């Protein structure tokens, strides 16, 4: 890895560090970006000014919204974009031997000082066709950026959206933990997932490296292996535990737990529920409590949740209570989570009553085990007592849709608008360097996004604006906005002298995202048959698109 | 990133570098591995000798085989496993403040010098339940390894298997290119995909960074944007092209192409097929040919494949032929690939005949555009003329199944076997430190894998061996092996003094994998209803599993 990739670059404003992952270098691109760069250079076209839009065509997961993420990493790449001599030597090796030397001299000079990047703020709720990034600059340079920028936005936005969807179905009151590291698509599939799930509304991660890199809160207690590594309480040698306030000390915590277990087993209100509990599990819980008396959270399903895990947990929790500690809770990692959480809650409430422990009924219940949107929804429908979800595989790999299809399309070169036609209407690109606005109604909700040509006047509050579907003549609506928000802001000004939008702090991106999600109209966000959000163009842009289209499309001949 | 992560470690044999991705550090683990480590340490159990098996329970993609990959990265992590002071400081911050200082002193000493890793060779075809890795060592240290090792194996094996499945359906004669960088799950979701797709049988990648890191052949020409960045041939200023042998020079390549285009359009055998072609496309093709006369491959679907792209390509190819160059071919990125490839082939054959160009009929046809196993299969069934496939999204994100469920289970501690029970039979673990063998029949195919206890005698060639299903009493079969292969080899000997298996060169892993796939019996590998490969245990191990099971399982009470 080049040290350079981490070297900070000073432009206007705050210094911009290199990409978080040092493997993100100018070589993290498709070979054809270099072959095209050579062909542009050979044709003397490499410095022609081109404008590309980065956008997606369809919201993921069958929904009608997407969370935009990955911008900061794009800007970090762009701010530090410079090929090392070694990288250029590798490009030379990879291209046909006939390439002229002048091209490699040119590559030495390539950077993004003449590139302008406009983008929507990271964490914003976004919709199909509207550019998330508009990248303008010398065509050869902007093409080199295409692949890494798509890579950095596609998964980031996909997983942030997935996290937001999980949050919506779980509800605001639940704690959501990302537990996906072991099943993620490689090391930074995992790190990116931790980062963007937090932006999308998760509360914490199990991934220590993500905690360190991004300051995300960390969570985790113990696994099944910890439980089965113990044989019996006889193994526990150091059995003393100081009370929470330091005033007393219990010399034999093991005996204290065992006496509580006895009381529970013979309690009237719990009679018949508990029998013999598993001794290796009991030993593991006691050991864990001795290590973390203030943070006792036990995984209770290694043997049998109701016959062993829960009574063992309660005995340890009651013993801790004698010493002034409050147990945190249990984790369920298998079985019928709705049923088991409800049964465990009943036991906690019974113990609160029977043994006079105020608050014990509220002991936290965490559920894990291959959870996803559908299982959370099913739990809600059945009724459950889960307070906290640990979600892994389905969240971080975006199992139900493993890729977002962002594309990067040329919309203008040398001030000439370009359109990409396709027999599939959804694949036709919207030409021209554009401006994009979000129009808000009187209830504070956003009504529609509208794209206009670069030089059209900005839509005004209180003005009646005709918003047109870009491709369907009959779909159009008048809107009188109460508020107009310009979506694309300048995050990398190049040589333009424009003021650069500062990259917000990580925490602020998350807050922005959560606020955005809360402000959306509920019918766009619901799981079943959500209403599509409207994305439109101005009449002027509409007319221009269709003029270009007719100009470019070949006239068929029926034979 | 710590420089240390890249620092080489000398053990027995060749030096082992750090992980390819410098973000793979001892902190790339779940927090609970550290909380457990503390609880083990606090209980004085941290040095208890534990044996963990890493295995999966079900083959991915509805198939009956898996390619094991990711071993080299695991060994690189293990060989260099050492927490820096800064990392330890972060762990201290992340654990409750009550943790004793002695634990952090202990963490300073933690490395894998007392860990032993046995593993199946990377690139081997593997099956459920058989350990891919067996990791033995101090329980606290081995637990710290659990998460990163699962992360490194899960996606690597998944994507290598996906690549192998694409190769099987495409057939040996086709060229397979991995084009997934832009849609992959983050930067090293892409790099890992490039690496492990090559191991699984792909021929090349578009990912330049992967080419540089791993020496994978690179491929790529140009995109739609390149085509639409041109307006007309008038833009082309430098029109001269030297002949292939340097003997002559064509001063106006543009005119030469145009005269060929004219000839094609008026040719008798092609009459009525071609009309006006798109001039910006023609200009782009001419420019690309001027830059890469020896490597002319054109993307022909920007406007209209048969009315514009193919005739434009043929005109440029014929002009190149006049100068002694052989055009490489075309790429189709949309539409009906079976139909278009067949129609293009007909044109190439007609031109070969009409203009006397031997071999022109064999001009290469590459297809891309959201290809996957199913579309390759459908193309085969329809009949097509594609020579080469560029495959992206579905391949690299493993879209049809985005995660492999490898687990890491404790099978022995302090020489005591451990079993993890579950009501779901497929989730019961196979206890004990084991040895694993593959038994081959007289036709050279492997018949069955068998696991035995560590100290059982090795199965012998020619001996009659009873192979038993681990959980189903009635499923058993006698086998007389013609060859016996021990699957688990020592890749990290720790202090044991055993000889360490050298990590094979990247190319050798790929060759091993391709050979393994070719040697499998066809019925295990077919897409539709493949036959499950048999995985068994020895009678002794079978009896012991069931003895332990009865011992551990609670006896139910019906109420």
């Amino acid at each position: 890895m080049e040290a350079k990739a981490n070297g900070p670059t000073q432009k206007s404003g705050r210094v911009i560090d290199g990409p978080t992952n040092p493997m993100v270098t100018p070589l993290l691109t498709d070979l054809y970006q270099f072959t095209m760069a050579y062909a542009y250079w050979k044709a003397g076209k490499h410095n022609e000014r081109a404008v590309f839009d980065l956008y997606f065509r369809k919201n993921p997961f069958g929904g009608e919204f997407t969370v935009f993420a990955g911008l900061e990493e794009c800007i970090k790449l762009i701010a530090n974009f410079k090929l090392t001599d070694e990288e250029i030597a590798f490009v030379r090796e990879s291209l046909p031997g006939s390439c002229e030397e002048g091209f490699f001299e040119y590559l030495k000079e390539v950077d993004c000082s003449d590139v302008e990047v406009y983008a929507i703020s990271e964490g914003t709720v976004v919709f199909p066709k509207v550019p998330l990034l508009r990248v303008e600059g010398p065509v050869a340079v902007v093409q080199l950026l295409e692949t890494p920028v798509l890579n950095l936005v596609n998964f980031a936005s996909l997983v942030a959206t997935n996290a937001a969807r999980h949050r919506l179905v779980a509800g605001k009151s639940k704690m959501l933990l990302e537990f996906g590291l072991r099943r993620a698509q490689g090391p930074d599939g995992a790190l990116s997932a931790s980062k963007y799930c937090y932006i999308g509304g998760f509360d914490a991660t199990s991934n220590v490296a993500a905690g360190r890199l991004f300051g995300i809160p960390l969570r985790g207690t113990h696994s099944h292996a910890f439980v089965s590594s113990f044989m019996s309480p006889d193994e526990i040698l150091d059995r003393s535990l100081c009370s929470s306030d330091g005033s007393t000390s219990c010399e034999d915590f093991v005996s204290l737990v065992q006496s509580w277990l006895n009381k529970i087993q013979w309690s009237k209100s719990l009679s018949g529920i508990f029998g013999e509990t598993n001794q290796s599990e009991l030993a593991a819980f006691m050991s864990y409590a001795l290590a973390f008396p203030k943070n006792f959270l036990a995984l209770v399903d290694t043997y049998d949740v109701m016959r062993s895990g829960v009574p063992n947990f309660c005995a340890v929790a009651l013993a801790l209570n004698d010493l002034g500690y409050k147990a945190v809770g249990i984790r369920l990692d298998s079985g019928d989570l709705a049923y088991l959480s409800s049964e465990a809650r009943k036991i906690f409430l019974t113990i609160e009553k029977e043994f006079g422990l105020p608050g014990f009924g509220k002991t936290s219940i965490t559920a894990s085990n291959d959870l996803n949107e559908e299982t959370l929804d099913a739990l809600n429908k059945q009724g459950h007592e889960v307070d906290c979800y640990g979600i892994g595989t389905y969240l971080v790999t975006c199992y139900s849709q493993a890729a977002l299809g962002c594309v990067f399309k040329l919309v203008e070169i040398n001030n000439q608008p370009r359109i990409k036609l396709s027999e599939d209407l959804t694949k036709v690109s919207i030409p021209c360097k554009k401006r994009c606005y979000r129009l808000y109604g009187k209830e504070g909700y956003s009504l529609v996004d509208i794209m206009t040509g670069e030089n059209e006047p900005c839509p005004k509050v209180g003005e009646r604006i005709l918003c047109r579907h870009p491709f369907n003549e009959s779909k159009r609506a008048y809107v009188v906005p109460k508020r107009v928000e310009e979506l694309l802001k300048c995050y990398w000004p190049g040589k333009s002298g424009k003021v650069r939008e500062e990259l917000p702090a990580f925490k602020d991106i998350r807050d922005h995202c959560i606020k955005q999600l809360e402000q959306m109209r509920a019918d766009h966000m619901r799981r079943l048959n959500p209403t599509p959000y409207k994305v439109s163009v101005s009449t002027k842009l509409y007319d221009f698109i269709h003029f270009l289209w007719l100009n470019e499309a070949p006239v068929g001949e029926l034979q």
Side-chain angles (χ1 to χ4, degrees), chain A residues 400-430:
Chain A
S400 64
Q401 183 184 325
L404 180 66
C406 281
V407 294
F408 193 77
K409 293 291 169 194
L410 180 70
V411 295
E412 195 173 297
I413 188 162
N414 283 335
N415 296 312
Q416 298 292 314
R418 304 307 279 160
I419 189 168
K420 164 80 180 78
L421 301 181
S422 172
E423 287 180 22
D424 180 355
L425 256 190
T426 63
K427 288 197 168 185
V428 175
S429 66
I430 299 180

Side-chain angles (χ1 to χ4, degrees), chain A residues 108-127:
Chain A
K108 279 189 194 173
E109 304 305 316
V110 163
D111 62 21
C112 292
S113 60
D114 200 17
V115 171
E116 268 182 71
V117 181
Y118 277 70
I120 297 180
S121 309
E122 188 157 6
T124 301
V125 174
V126 292
F127 306 98

Side-chain angles (χ1 to χ4, degrees), chain A residues 151-457:
Chain A
N151 178 276
L152 292 169
V153 169
N154 264 323
F155 182 58
S157 300
L158 184 72
V159 75
T161 307
N162 204 18
R165 295 182 63 87
H166 281 78
R167 167 57 73 196
L168 283 169
V169 60
K172 273 171 92 167
S173 66
K174 303 298 174 195
M175 176 78 93
L176 292 183
L177 315 177
E178 176 270 309
F179 278 0
L181 172 52
R182 64 187 59 197
R183 301 279 172 87
Q185 296 203 350
D188 92 1
L191 286 163
S192 300
S194 301
K195 177 176 177 180
Y196 298 111
C197 285
Y198 188 64
I199 285 180
F202 268 57
D203 296 298
T205 178
S206 66
N207 181 339
V208 182
R212 179 170 173 232
L213 275 169
F214 310 115
I216 304 171
L218 289 169
R219 288 299 176 96
T221 54
H222 69 83
S223 70
H224 294 119
F226 182 79
V227 173
S228 47
S229 78
F230 286 82
M231 300 289 163
S232 86
D234 301 342
E235 278 178 81
I236 302 174
L237 303 178
D238 183 356
R239 300 172 165 213
S240 67
L241 181 61
C242 242
S243 67
S244 164
D245 59 7
S247 65
T248 59
S249 177
C250 164
E251 289 315 305
D252 191 350
F253 184 70
V254 170
S255 297
L256 182 61
V257 171
Q258 271 157 335
S259 71
W260 270 113
L261 189 59
N262 220 16
K263 280 186 214 163
I264 297 172
Q265 279 161 340
W266 294 102
S267 133
K268 253 193 198 153
S269 43
L270 297 168
S271 75
I273 299 181
F274 303 142
E276 276 299 284
T277 66
N278 185 293
Q279 293 299 294
S280 71
E281 180 179 68
L282 184 63
F285 288 1
M286 293 192 287
S287 264
Y288 198 81
L290 285 165
F292 298 108
K294 292 180 185 166
N295 299 78
F296 178 60
L297 195 155
L299 176 62
V300 293
D301 70 335
T302 306
Y303 299 101
D304 186 306
V305 172
M306 294 311 297
R307 283 190 290 173
S308 183
V310 167
N312 278 338
F313 165 78
C314 290
V316 175
L318 286 161
L320 283 171
N321 179 67
D322 285 347
L323 297 165
Y325 298 105
K326 197 171 168 309
V328 175
I330 60 169
R331 177 159 74 96
L332 300 167
D333 190 40
S334 60
D336 181 336
L337 300 172
Y339 170 79
L340 292 172
S341 65
S342 303
E343 290 300 300
R345 179 71 66 215
K346 280 186 212 159
I347 304 290
F348 297 157
L349 287 165
T350 304
I351 284 178
E352 167 164 350
K353 214 173 152 191
E354 167 121 7
F355 301 104
L357 258 77
F360 196 81
K362 291 195 174 122
T363 293
S364 166
I365 300 175
T366 297
S368 48
N369 188 29
D370 285 349
L371 298 178
N372 59 25
E373 261 192 85
E374 282 63 43
T375 47
L376 297 194
D377 193 45
L379 281 170
N380 288 344
K381 283 174 184 151
Q382 290 167 74
H384 65 87
E385 287 291 336
V386 175
D387 303 294
C388 173
Y389 295 106
I391 310 183
T393 314
Y394 291 96
L395 174 69
V396 304
T397 64
C398 300
Y399 206 91
S400 64
Q401 183 184 325
L404 180 66
C406 281
V407 294
F408 193 77
K409 293 291 169 194
L410 180 70
V411 295
E412 195 173 297
I413 188 162
N414 283 335
N415 296 312
Q416 298 292 314
R418 304 307 279 160
I419 189 168
K420 164 80 180 78
L421 301 181
S422 172
E423 287 180 22
D424 180 355
L425 256 190
T426 63
K427 288 197 168 185
V428 175
S429 66
I430 299 180
C432 303
K433 184 171 174 182
K434 295 177 286 290
R435 304 181 77 158
C436 304
Y437 305 92
R438 186 157 293 177
L439 308 184
Y440 290 83
K442 55 179 185 286
E443 282 161 28
Y445 293 121
S446 56
L447 299 173
V448 64
D449 285 3
I450 185 168
M451 292 176 265
T452 73
E454 171 72 356
N455 298 315
E456 287 186 57

